[in-house]
């Protein structure tokens, strides 16, 4: 099954990404997640990415993406 990947812009103009954690993305984080399962909501800034939220499955990822208006 393919992983879902959503992108969009927050109300403050920052880039949001809702996607699975990858080793490349994790390498750029200050704090490593203990559990890499599910989908993570990332916010990009000049200081790098930060994790805002984590959801556990595809259905929750679709719901969060719809709530945030990202696609």
């Amino acid at each position: 099954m393919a992983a879902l990947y959503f992108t969009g812009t927050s109300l403050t103009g920052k880039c949001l990404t809702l996607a699975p954690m990858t080793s490349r993305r994790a390498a750029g984080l200050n704090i490593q997640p203990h559990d890499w399962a599910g989908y993570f909501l990332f916010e990009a800034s000049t200081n790098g990415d930060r994790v805002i939220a984590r959801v556990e499955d595809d259905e929750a990822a679709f719901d969060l993406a719809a709530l945030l208006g990202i696609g």
Side-chain angles (χ1 to χ4, degrees):
M1 180 175 196
L4 302 173
Y5 187 90
F6 301 96
T7 61
T9 305
S10 71
L11 295 175
T12 60
K14 293 185 179 177
C15 180
L16 298 176
T17 304
L18 180 59
M21 180 65 70
T22 62
S23 56
R24 180 181 221 172
R25 185 160 246 159
L29 297 175
N30 291 333
I31 300 172
Q32 298 293 310
H34 296 290
D35 183 358
W36 287 31
Y39 293 89
F40 291 79
L41 179 61
F42 301 96
E43 179 185 67
S45 72
T46 56
N47 297 330
D49 290 347
R50 82 177 171 123
V51 175
I52 297 174
R54 177 181 164 264
V55 295
E56 295 189 12
D57 56 36
D58 290 358
E59 184 178 347
F62 277 116
D63 290 345
L64 183 57
L67 180 68
L68 295 172
I70 61 176

